mmCIF file of all heavy atoms in Angstrom:
data_model
loop_
_atom_site.group_PDB
_atom_site.id
_atom_site.type_symbol
_atom_site.label_atom_id
_atom_site.label_comp_id
_atom_site.label_asym_id
_atom_site.label_seq_id
_atom_site.Cartn_x
_atom_site.Cartn_y
_atom_site.Cartn_z
ATOM 1 N N ARG A 951 67.042 -41.675 -84.748
ATOM 2 C CA ARG A 951 66.902 -40.532 -83.855
ATOM 3 C C ARG A 951 65.747 -40.770 -82.892
ATOM 4 O O ARG A 951 64.680 -41.215 -83.291
ATOM 5 C CB ARG A 951 66.661 -39.261 -84.658
ATOM 6 C CG ARG A 951 67.868 -38.824 -85.460
ATOM 7 C CD ARG A 951 67.624 -37.515 -86.179
ATOM 8 N NE ARG A 951 66.424 -37.468 -86.992
ATOM 9 C CZ ARG A 951 66.326 -37.935 -88.229
ATOM 10 N NH1 ARG A 951 67.363 -38.508 -88.791
ATOM 11 N NH2 ARG A 951 65.196 -37.826 -88.902
ATOM 12 N N LEU A 952 65.986 -40.443 -81.632
ATOM 13 C CA LEU A 952 64.974 -40.570 -80.584
ATOM 14 C C LEU A 952 64.413 -39.192 -80.270
ATOM 15 O O LEU A 952 65.155 -38.235 -80.096
ATOM 16 C CB LEU A 952 65.601 -41.177 -79.325
ATOM 17 C CG LEU A 952 64.741 -41.194 -78.065
ATOM 18 C CD1 LEU A 952 63.563 -42.136 -78.243
ATOM 19 C CD2 LEU A 952 65.588 -41.614 -76.869
ATOM 20 N N ASP A 953 63.091 -39.103 -80.197
ATOM 21 C CA ASP A 953 62.423 -37.876 -79.784
ATOM 22 C C ASP A 953 61.263 -38.270 -78.881
ATOM 23 O O ASP A 953 60.208 -38.661 -79.355
ATOM 24 C CB ASP A 953 61.912 -37.089 -80.991
ATOM 25 C CG ASP A 953 61.262 -35.774 -80.584
ATOM 26 O OD1 ASP A 953 61.585 -35.257 -79.500
ATOM 27 O OD2 ASP A 953 60.435 -35.275 -81.361
ATOM 28 N N ARG A 954 61.528 -38.234 -77.586
ATOM 29 C CA ARG A 954 60.575 -38.648 -76.557
ATOM 30 C C ARG A 954 60.103 -40.076 -76.774
ATOM 31 O O ARG A 954 60.811 -41.004 -76.485
ATOM 32 C CB ARG A 954 59.399 -37.689 -76.469
ATOM 33 C CG ARG A 954 59.766 -36.353 -75.939
ATOM 34 C CD ARG A 954 58.540 -35.546 -75.719
ATOM 35 N NE ARG A 954 58.912 -34.266 -75.138
ATOM 36 C CZ ARG A 954 58.072 -33.496 -74.538
ATOM 37 N NH1 ARG A 954 56.816 -33.846 -74.443
ATOM 38 N NH2 ARG A 954 58.475 -32.356 -74.033
ATOM 39 N N HIS A 955 58.906 -40.240 -77.318
ATOM 40 C CA HIS A 955 58.334 -41.579 -77.490
ATOM 41 C C HIS A 955 58.425 -42.094 -78.919
ATOM 42 O O HIS A 955 57.868 -43.140 -79.229
ATOM 43 C CB HIS A 955 56.858 -41.580 -77.055
ATOM 44 C CG HIS A 955 56.681 -41.256 -75.609
ATOM 45 N ND1 HIS A 955 57.135 -42.072 -74.613
ATOM 46 C CD2 HIS A 955 56.109 -40.193 -74.995
ATOM 47 C CE1 HIS A 955 56.854 -41.536 -73.440
ATOM 48 N NE2 HIS A 955 56.240 -40.391 -73.643
ATOM 49 N N THR A 956 59.096 -41.374 -79.798
ATOM 50 C CA THR A 956 59.181 -41.800 -81.192
ATOM 51 C C THR A 956 60.624 -42.050 -81.604
ATOM 52 O O THR A 956 61.545 -41.397 -81.126
ATOM 53 C CB THR A 956 58.570 -40.748 -82.145
ATOM 54 O OG1 THR A 956 59.318 -39.536 -82.037
ATOM 55 C CG2 THR A 956 57.114 -40.495 -81.834
ATOM 56 N N LEU A 957 60.775 -42.999 -82.501
ATOM 57 C CA LEU A 957 62.060 -43.269 -83.129
ATOM 58 C C LEU A 957 61.920 -42.981 -84.608
ATOM 59 O O LEU A 957 60.964 -43.436 -85.244
ATOM 60 C CB LEU A 957 62.457 -44.741 -82.964
ATOM 61 C CG LEU A 957 63.094 -45.176 -81.670
ATOM 62 C CD1 LEU A 957 63.387 -46.666 -81.704
ATOM 63 C CD2 LEU A 957 64.361 -44.412 -81.396
ATOM 64 N N THR A 958 62.854 -42.241 -85.156
ATOM 65 C CA THR A 958 62.905 -42.017 -86.594
ATOM 66 C C THR A 958 64.026 -42.886 -87.121
ATOM 67 O O THR A 958 65.173 -42.785 -86.668
ATOM 68 C CB THR A 958 63.157 -40.541 -86.919
ATOM 69 O OG1 THR A 958 62.095 -39.770 -86.350
ATOM 70 C CG2 THR A 958 63.196 -40.311 -88.419
ATOM 71 N N LEU A 959 63.689 -43.768 -88.058
ATOM 72 C CA LEU A 959 64.632 -44.754 -88.569
ATOM 73 C C LEU A 959 64.877 -44.539 -90.053
ATOM 74 O O LEU A 959 63.940 -44.547 -90.852
ATOM 75 C CB LEU A 959 64.075 -46.162 -88.343
ATOM 76 C CG LEU A 959 63.667 -46.481 -86.908
ATOM 77 C CD1 LEU A 959 62.683 -47.613 -86.877
ATOM 78 C CD2 LEU A 959 64.880 -46.799 -86.099
ATOM 79 N N GLU A 960 66.125 -44.326 -90.395
ATOM 80 C CA GLU A 960 66.529 -44.244 -91.794
ATOM 81 C C GLU A 960 67.312 -45.506 -92.098
ATOM 82 O O GLU A 960 68.383 -45.731 -91.532
ATOM 83 C CB GLU A 960 67.385 -43.008 -92.041
ATOM 84 C CG GLU A 960 66.632 -41.709 -91.843
ATOM 85 C CD GLU A 960 67.521 -40.492 -92.042
ATOM 86 O OE1 GLU A 960 68.606 -40.631 -92.651
ATOM 87 O OE2 GLU A 960 67.137 -39.417 -91.574
ATOM 88 N N THR A 961 66.799 -46.322 -92.997
ATOM 89 C CA THR A 961 67.429 -47.609 -93.278
ATOM 90 C C THR A 961 68.575 -47.494 -94.271
ATOM 91 O O THR A 961 69.354 -48.422 -94.403
ATOM 92 C CB THR A 961 66.397 -48.593 -93.839
ATOM 93 O OG1 THR A 961 65.864 -48.064 -95.053
ATOM 94 C CG2 THR A 961 65.289 -48.838 -92.843
ATOM 95 N N GLY A 962 68.657 -46.382 -94.981
ATOM 96 C CA GLY A 962 69.680 -46.244 -95.999
ATOM 97 C C GLY A 962 69.231 -46.823 -97.333
ATOM 98 O O GLY A 962 69.912 -46.709 -98.333
ATOM 99 N N ASP A 963 68.083 -47.443 -97.349
ATOM 100 C CA ASP A 963 67.517 -48.032 -98.554
ATOM 101 C C ASP A 963 66.530 -47.040 -99.148
ATOM 102 O O ASP A 963 65.616 -46.587 -98.465
ATOM 103 C CB ASP A 963 66.819 -49.351 -98.187
ATOM 104 C CG ASP A 963 66.271 -50.083 -99.386
ATOM 105 O OD1 ASP A 963 66.391 -49.576 -100.521
ATOM 106 O OD2 ASP A 963 65.725 -51.186 -99.187
ATOM 107 N N ARG A 964 66.696 -46.690 -100.418
ATOM 108 C CA ARG A 964 65.825 -45.701 -101.039
ATOM 109 C C ARG A 964 64.362 -46.128 -101.024
ATOM 110 O O ARG A 964 63.476 -45.324 -100.823
ATOM 111 C CB ARG A 964 66.242 -45.448 -102.484
ATOM 112 C CG ARG A 964 67.540 -44.718 -102.610
ATOM 113 C CD ARG A 964 67.895 -44.629 -104.051
ATOM 114 N NE ARG A 964 68.126 -43.250 -104.416
ATOM 115 C CZ ARG A 964 68.350 -42.853 -105.638
ATOM 116 N NH1 ARG A 964 68.353 -43.716 -106.615
ATOM 117 N NH2 ARG A 964 68.567 -41.597 -105.885
ATOM 118 N N GLN A 965 64.112 -47.410 -101.260
ATOM 119 C CA GLN A 965 62.729 -47.884 -101.297
ATOM 120 C C GLN A 965 62.096 -47.867 -99.909
ATOM 121 O O GLN A 965 60.922 -47.575 -99.764
ATOM 122 C CB GLN A 965 62.655 -49.287 -101.868
ATOM 123 C CG GLN A 965 62.920 -49.330 -103.351
ATOM 124 C CD GLN A 965 62.793 -50.730 -103.900
ATOM 125 O OE1 GLN A 965 63.090 -51.700 -103.216
ATOM 126 N NE2 GLN A 965 62.359 -50.832 -105.140
ATOM 127 N N ALA A 966 62.856 -48.208 -98.897
ATOM 128 C CA ALA A 966 62.312 -48.248 -97.540
ATOM 129 C C ALA A 966 62.116 -46.840 -96.991
ATOM 130 O O ALA A 966 61.184 -46.584 -96.242
ATOM 131 C CB ALA A 966 63.217 -49.052 -96.623
ATOM 132 N N GLY A 967 62.991 -45.929 -97.353
ATOM 133 C CA GLY A 967 62.855 -44.550 -96.910
ATOM 134 C C GLY A 967 63.017 -44.383 -95.411
ATOM 135 O O GLY A 967 63.676 -45.169 -94.734
ATOM 136 N N THR A 968 62.394 -43.352 -94.876
ATOM 137 C CA THR A 968 62.455 -43.026 -93.457
ATOM 138 C C THR A 968 61.104 -43.310 -92.831
ATOM 139 O O THR A 968 60.073 -43.044 -93.425
ATOM 140 C CB THR A 968 62.807 -41.541 -93.285
ATOM 141 O OG1 THR A 968 64.062 -41.288 -93.915
ATOM 142 C CG2 THR A 968 62.907 -41.165 -91.827
ATOM 143 N N LEU A 969 61.126 -43.862 -91.627
ATOM 144 C CA LEU A 969 59.892 -44.166 -90.914
ATOM 145 C C LEU A 969 60.006 -43.649 -89.491
ATOM 146 O O LEU A 969 61.018 -43.864 -88.827
ATOM 147 C CB LEU A 969 59.638 -45.675 -90.900
ATOM 148 C CG LEU A 969 58.402 -46.142 -90.141
ATOM 149 C CD1 LEU A 969 57.135 -45.685 -90.852
ATOM 150 C CD2 LEU A 969 58.406 -47.647 -90.008
ATOM 151 N N THR A 970 58.986 -42.969 -89.033
ATOM 152 C CA THR A 970 58.905 -42.536 -87.644
ATOM 153 C C THR A 970 57.838 -43.374 -86.968
ATOM 154 O O THR A 970 56.692 -43.391 -87.417
ATOM 155 C CB THR A 970 58.556 -41.043 -87.550
ATOM 156 O OG1 THR A 970 59.583 -40.296 -88.213
ATOM 157 C CG2 THR A 970 58.464 -40.594 -86.108
ATOM 158 N N ILE A 971 58.243 -44.091 -85.931
ATOM 159 C CA ILE A 971 57.304 -44.949 -85.217
ATOM 160 C C ILE A 971 57.205 -44.501 -83.759
ATOM 161 O O ILE A 971 58.189 -44.102 -83.154
ATOM 162 C CB ILE A 971 57.692 -46.444 -85.316
ATOM 163 C CG1 ILE A 971 59.110 -46.688 -84.849
ATOM 164 C CG2 ILE A 971 57.507 -46.953 -86.715
ATOM 165 C CD1 ILE A 971 59.521 -48.146 -84.861
ATOM 166 N N ASP A 972 55.999 -44.565 -83.254
ATOM 167 C CA ASP A 972 55.708 -44.170 -81.877
ATOM 168 C C ASP A 972 55.683 -45.430 -81.019
ATOM 169 O O ASP A 972 54.762 -46.227 -81.099
ATOM 170 C CB ASP A 972 54.363 -43.445 -81.821
ATOM 171 C CG ASP A 972 54.045 -42.911 -80.435
ATOM 172 O OD1 ASP A 972 54.785 -43.213 -79.477
ATOM 173 O OD2 ASP A 972 53.042 -42.190 -80.319
ATOM 174 N N LEU A 973 56.717 -45.609 -80.205
ATOM 175 C CA LEU A 973 56.839 -46.811 -79.378
ATOM 176 C C LEU A 973 56.453 -46.562 -77.929
ATOM 177 O O LEU A 973 56.573 -47.468 -77.098
ATOM 178 C CB LEU A 973 58.270 -47.345 -79.445
ATOM 179 C CG LEU A 973 58.791 -47.709 -80.833
ATOM 180 C CD1 LEU A 973 60.237 -48.162 -80.752
ATOM 181 C CD2 LEU A 973 57.929 -48.756 -81.490
ATOM 182 N N GLY A 974 56.048 -45.362 -77.612
ATOM 183 C CA GLY A 974 55.694 -45.050 -76.228
ATOM 184 C C GLY A 974 56.928 -45.108 -75.337
ATOM 185 O O GLY A 974 58.022 -44.682 -75.709
ATOM 186 N N ALA A 975 56.766 -45.676 -74.151
ATOM 187 C CA ALA A 975 57.872 -45.760 -73.188
ATOM 188 C C ALA A 975 58.995 -46.674 -73.678
ATOM 189 O O ALA A 975 60.138 -46.534 -73.249
ATOM 190 C CB ALA A 975 57.344 -46.250 -71.849
ATOM 191 N N ASP A 976 58.688 -47.604 -74.584
ATOM 192 C CA ASP A 976 59.708 -48.518 -75.110
ATOM 193 C C ASP A 976 60.702 -47.831 -76.033
ATOM 194 O O ASP A 976 61.751 -48.392 -76.336
ATOM 195 C CB ASP A 976 59.056 -49.673 -75.873
ATOM 196 C CG ASP A 976 58.337 -50.644 -74.960
ATOM 197 O OD1 ASP A 976 58.575 -50.593 -73.739
ATOM 198 O OD2 ASP A 976 57.547 -51.453 -75.480
ATOM 199 N N ALA A 977 60.395 -46.636 -76.505
ATOM 200 C CA ALA A 977 61.263 -45.953 -77.467
ATOM 201 C C ALA A 977 62.670 -45.748 -76.918
ATOM 202 O O ALA A 977 63.659 -45.998 -77.610
ATOM 203 C CB ALA A 977 60.654 -44.621 -77.889
ATOM 204 N N GLN A 978 62.784 -45.319 -75.678
ATOM 205 C CA GLN A 978 64.104 -45.066 -75.103
ATOM 206 C C GLN A 978 64.887 -46.363 -74.915
ATOM 207 O O GLN A 978 66.096 -46.408 -75.148
ATOM 208 C CB GLN A 978 63.947 -44.327 -73.782
ATOM 209 C CG GLN A 978 63.375 -42.940 -73.978
ATOM 210 C CD GLN A 978 63.084 -42.237 -72.671
ATOM 211 O OE1 GLN A 978 63.296 -42.791 -71.597
ATOM 212 N NE2 GLN A 978 62.606 -41.005 -72.760
ATOM 213 N N ILE A 979 64.198 -47.416 -74.515
ATOM 214 C CA ILE A 979 64.864 -48.711 -74.325
ATOM 215 C C ILE A 979 65.394 -49.232 -75.650
ATOM 216 O O ILE A 979 66.544 -49.672 -75.742
ATOM 217 C CB ILE A 979 63.878 -49.720 -73.687
ATOM 218 C CG1 ILE A 979 63.476 -49.227 -72.299
ATOM 219 C CG2 ILE A 979 64.470 -51.117 -73.643
ATOM 220 C CD1 ILE A 979 62.282 -49.950 -71.712
ATOM 221 N N TRP A 980 64.560 -49.159 -76.695
ATOM 222 C CA TRP A 980 64.984 -49.656 -78.004
ATOM 223 C C TRP A 980 66.067 -48.767 -78.603
ATOM 224 O O TRP A 980 66.991 -49.268 -79.246
ATOM 225 C CB TRP A 980 63.790 -49.789 -78.939
ATOM 226 C CG TRP A 980 63.092 -51.091 -78.738
ATOM 227 C CD1 TRP A 980 62.168 -51.386 -77.784
ATOM 228 C CD2 TRP A 980 63.303 -52.299 -79.472
ATOM 229 N NE1 TRP A 980 61.783 -52.693 -77.892
ATOM 230 C CE2 TRP A 980 62.454 -53.274 -78.913
ATOM 231 C CE3 TRP A 980 64.108 -52.644 -80.539
ATOM 232 C CZ2 TRP A 980 62.398 -54.575 -79.399
ATOM 233 C CZ3 TRP A 980 64.046 -53.929 -81.029
ATOM 234 C CH2 TRP A 980 63.209 -54.885 -80.467
ATOM 235 N N ALA A 981 65.993 -47.458 -78.405
ATOM 236 C CA ALA A 981 67.032 -46.562 -78.927
ATOM 237 C C ALA A 981 68.378 -46.908 -78.311
ATOM 238 O O ALA A 981 69.402 -46.959 -79.006
ATOM 239 C CB ALA A 981 66.665 -45.110 -78.645
ATOM 240 N N ALA A 982 68.391 -47.180 -77.008
ATOM 241 C CA ALA A 982 69.645 -47.553 -76.345
ATOM 242 C C ALA A 982 70.163 -48.887 -76.869
ATOM 243 O O ALA A 982 71.364 -49.051 -77.092
ATOM 244 C CB ALA A 982 69.437 -47.621 -74.836
ATOM 245 N N SER A 983 69.272 -49.838 -77.082
ATOM 246 C CA SER A 983 69.719 -51.145 -77.552
ATOM 247 C C SER A 983 70.171 -51.105 -79.008
ATOM 248 O O SER A 983 71.045 -51.874 -79.407
ATOM 249 C CB SER A 983 68.614 -52.188 -77.380
ATOM 250 O OG SER A 983 67.563 -51.973 -78.291
ATOM 251 N N LEU A 984 69.612 -50.205 -79.800
ATOM 252 C CA LEU A 984 70.022 -50.095 -81.202
ATOM 253 C C LEU A 984 71.422 -49.501 -81.341
ATOM 254 O O LEU A 984 72.068 -49.666 -82.371
ATOM 255 C CB LEU A 984 69.010 -49.263 -81.986
ATOM 256 C CG LEU A 984 67.636 -49.909 -82.176
ATOM 257 C CD1 LEU A 984 66.680 -48.945 -82.867
ATOM 258 C CD2 LEU A 984 67.739 -51.201 -82.945
ATOM 259 N N ARG A 985 71.893 -48.835 -80.307
ATOM 260 C CA ARG A 985 73.261 -48.314 -80.348
ATOM 261 C C ARG A 985 74.290 -49.444 -80.325
ATOM 262 O O ARG A 985 75.444 -49.244 -80.648
ATOM 263 C CB ARG A 985 73.503 -47.386 -79.163
ATOM 264 C CG ARG A 985 72.796 -46.080 -79.295
ATOM 265 C CD ARG A 985 73.234 -45.090 -78.224
ATOM 266 N NE ARG A 985 72.251 -44.029 -78.149
ATOM 267 C CZ ARG A 985 71.364 -43.891 -77.174
ATOM 268 N NH1 ARG A 985 71.370 -44.723 -76.150
ATOM 269 N NH2 ARG A 985 70.492 -42.926 -77.198
ATOM 270 N N ARG A 986 73.855 -50.633 -79.927
ATOM 271 C CA ARG A 986 74.766 -51.777 -79.837
ATOM 272 C C ARG A 986 74.597 -52.750 -80.998
ATOM 273 O O ARG A 986 74.968 -53.918 -80.884
ATOM 274 C CB ARG A 986 74.523 -52.509 -78.518
ATOM 275 C CG ARG A 986 74.840 -51.667 -77.293
ATOM 276 C CD ARG A 986 74.706 -52.463 -76.014
ATOM 277 N NE ARG A 986 73.358 -52.925 -75.754
ATOM 278 C CZ ARG A 986 72.426 -52.236 -75.092
ATOM 279 N NH1 ARG A 986 72.724 -51.039 -74.632
ATOM 280 N NH2 ARG A 986 71.228 -52.729 -74.889
ATOM 281 N N LEU A 987 74.025 -52.286 -82.108
ATOM 282 C CA LEU A 987 73.820 -53.175 -83.252
ATOM 283 C C LEU A 987 75.151 -53.675 -83.792
ATOM 284 O O LEU A 987 76.136 -52.934 -83.851
ATOM 285 C CB LEU A 987 73.077 -52.443 -84.375
ATOM 286 C CG LEU A 987 71.590 -52.280 -84.180
ATOM 287 C CD1 LEU A 987 71.019 -51.454 -85.330
ATOM 288 C CD2 LEU A 987 70.894 -53.619 -84.108
ATOM 289 N N ILE A 988 75.150 -54.932 -84.202
ATOM 290 C CA ILE A 988 76.346 -55.524 -84.794
ATOM 291 C C ILE A 988 76.165 -55.514 -86.303
ATOM 292 O O ILE A 988 75.220 -56.106 -86.833
ATOM 293 C CB ILE A 988 76.565 -56.968 -84.286
ATOM 294 C CG1 ILE A 988 76.819 -56.942 -82.787
ATOM 295 C CG2 ILE A 988 77.689 -57.621 -85.035
ATOM 296 C CD1 ILE A 988 76.917 -58.301 -82.166
ATOM 297 N N ASP A 989 77.063 -54.832 -86.984
ATOM 298 C CA ASP A 989 77.019 -54.760 -88.439
ATOM 299 C C ASP A 989 77.711 -55.990 -89.002
ATOM 300 O O ASP A 989 78.922 -56.155 -88.836
ATOM 301 C CB ASP A 989 77.710 -53.482 -88.916
ATOM 302 C CG ASP A 989 77.562 -53.251 -90.412
ATOM 303 O OD1 ASP A 989 77.065 -54.155 -91.100
ATOM 304 O OD2 ASP A 989 77.917 -52.159 -90.870
ATOM 305 N N PRO A 990 76.946 -56.917 -89.672
ATOM 306 C CA PRO A 990 77.554 -58.132 -90.169
ATOM 307 C C PRO A 990 78.653 -57.877 -91.204
ATOM 308 O O PRO A 990 79.601 -58.637 -91.320
ATOM 309 C CB PRO A 990 76.396 -58.913 -90.771
ATOM 310 C CG PRO A 990 75.251 -57.994 -90.855
ATOM 311 C CD PRO A 990 75.529 -56.830 -89.969
#
Side-chain angles (χ1 to χ4, degrees):
R951 291 183 308 277
L952 171 67
D953 182 24
R954 291 187 177 198
H955 297 294
T956 62
L957 278 179
T958 301
L959 306 158
E960 294 178 18
T961 61
D963 184 358
R964 290 175 125 186
Q965 288 182 328
T968 301
L969 178 68
T970 300
I971 55 177
D972 184 353
L973 301 177
D976 289 345
Q978 294 174 359
I979 297 166
W980 276 83
S983 71
L984 292 175
R985 288 189 197 106
R986 296 185 296 272
L987 282 176
I988 296 175
D989 187 352

